[in-house]
Amino acid sequence: MRYFIEISYLGTNYHGSQIQKNAESIQGVLEKALTTVLRNEVALTGSSRTDAGVHARQQFFHFDHVEIKDNSQLIFKLNSFLPQDVSVLSIKPGKPDAHCRFDALARSYEYHITQVKDPFNNQTSHYFRQELDIEKMNKATALLLKRKDFQCFSKVHSDVNNFRCEISAAKWTKSGGHLVFQITSNRFLRGMVRAIVGTTLQVGTGAINLSKFRSILASKDRKQAGPAAPA
């Protein structure tokens, strides 16, 4: 049977979600926990990849296994085995040919910024002191919805067939000294969200204007865009 496992994690101590040979990953610790608890080797397929240090409130993997009789007991055992920064939220059966990556309709990211130094949020928010013009930043991100090719925001030497993405939402909001950038797309390129954030921060500080932002989008050149925001 095919099962979908829903997890959340704090990614500070991990080199991304995808398994790696010589580094700790979310997929790696989750596969180890499942293999130990189920006493069978389990291979996971992820819905997407995340960079080192990136967190997730909700991410999905799927795996194949004989029928699991008690999902709630399995969740309890897994959470007892997993480190404190990784949590299993649910395990549900799916169709045998269902795929958590190829059948996903959309993916959403949030990027958090605090303009007030806050030791309780230093792992989940980027501390950015400079004043920001949210209106101009939102005018810039609105342009993303009119584009299809985002090579200018992709890490160089990315092994992809194309740089096309269908962004359906992109917006900055502010509450007090806290800002959140929310973006939804059918897919994301490597480093894309952090590059967008870094570039729109330059718009917000006045380092670049909207005309320059438009030219960056048209350039298809990562060197033209701003630096990637921290993970």
Side-chain angles (χ1 to χ4, degrees):
M1 293 185 65
R2 177 151 295 182
Y3 288 91
F4 284 73
I5 182 167
E6 177 189 9
I7 68 168
S8 64
Y9 55 84
L10 193 69
T12 305
N13 298 323
Y14 301 92
H15 290 262
S17 61
Q18 188 178 38
I19 199 164
Q20 300 181 41
K21 290 183 179 179
N22 301 311
E24 189 96 299
S25 68
I26 298 299
Q27 183 179 351
V29 298
L30 189 56
E31 283 188 358
K32 181 180 178 181
L34 280 163
T35 297
T36 301
V37 173
L38 293 173
R39 299 181 181 180
N40 283 305
E41 187 170 347
V42 174
L44 291 167
T45 298
S47 58
S48 61
R49 303 173 183 177
T50 56
D51 291 343
V54 174
H55 319 298
R57 290 191 181 277
Q58 182 189 54
Q59 187 170 355
F60 290 90
F61 291 83
H62 76 246
F63 65 96
D64 295 325
H65 196 270
V66 296
E67 185 179 0
I68 297 171
K69 300 295 185 182
D70 191 338
N71 287 1
S72 60
Q73 184 64 17
L74 175 58
I75 292 170
F76 173 78
K77 289 180 178 179
L78 287 171
N79 281 328
S80 299
F81 188 87
L82 286 164
Q84 290 186 337
D85 49 13
V86 182
S87 176
V88 175
L89 305 177
S90 70
I91 299 175
K92 298 177 181 178
K95 295 179 179 179
D97 60 347
H99 200 288
C100 66
R101 179 183 173 191
F102 299 130
D103 289 339
L105 299 178
R107 295 160 175 84
S108 295
Y109 279 85
E110 288 186 357
Y111 194 95
H112 291 245
I113 287 177
T114 179
Q115 295 192 285
V116 179
K117 188 176 180 181
D118 184 353
F120 295 100
N121 286 324
N122 62 8
Q123 293 187 65
T124 55
S125 296
H126 174 38
Y127 177 43
F128 193 87
R129 286 186 57 195
Q130 292 177 261
E131 288 297 316
L132 293 167
D133 189 325
I134 301 299
E135 184 178 352
K136 286 184 179 178
M137 292 164 69
N138 274 324
K139 286 181 179 178
T141 54
L143 298 173
L144 301 175
L145 278 65
K146 301 176 182 179
R147 300 290 304 189
K148 302 297 181 184
D149 188 300
F150 293 95
Q151 187 172 355
C152 64
F153 293 131
S154 175
K155 285 185 177 180
V156 295
H157 308 306
S158 292
D159 184 19
V160 293
N161 293 326
N162 63 77
F163 298 93
R164 295 177 63 83
C165 303
E166 299 281 346
I167 296 178
S168 55
K171 186 177 182 180
W172 285 90
T173 57
K174 183 177 181 180
S175 178
H178 194 84
L179 290 79
V180 180
F181 176 57
Q182 297 171 303
I183 184 168
T184 298
S185 179
N186 66 324
R187 67 188 284 246
F188 289 98
L189 306 168
R190 289 184 62 217
M192 178 176 166
V193 175
R194 290 166 59 192
I196 290 173
V197 170
T199 308
T200 54
L201 285 176
Q202 290 189 328
V203 174
T205 61
I208 64 174
N209 57 29
L210 289 174
S211 177
K212 175 61 177 177
F213 192 84
R214 288 190 185 92
S215 69
I216 290 170
L217 284 171
S219 73
K220 300 185 180 182
D221 183 1
R222 178 64 185 89
K223 294 178 182 179
Q224 297 295 316

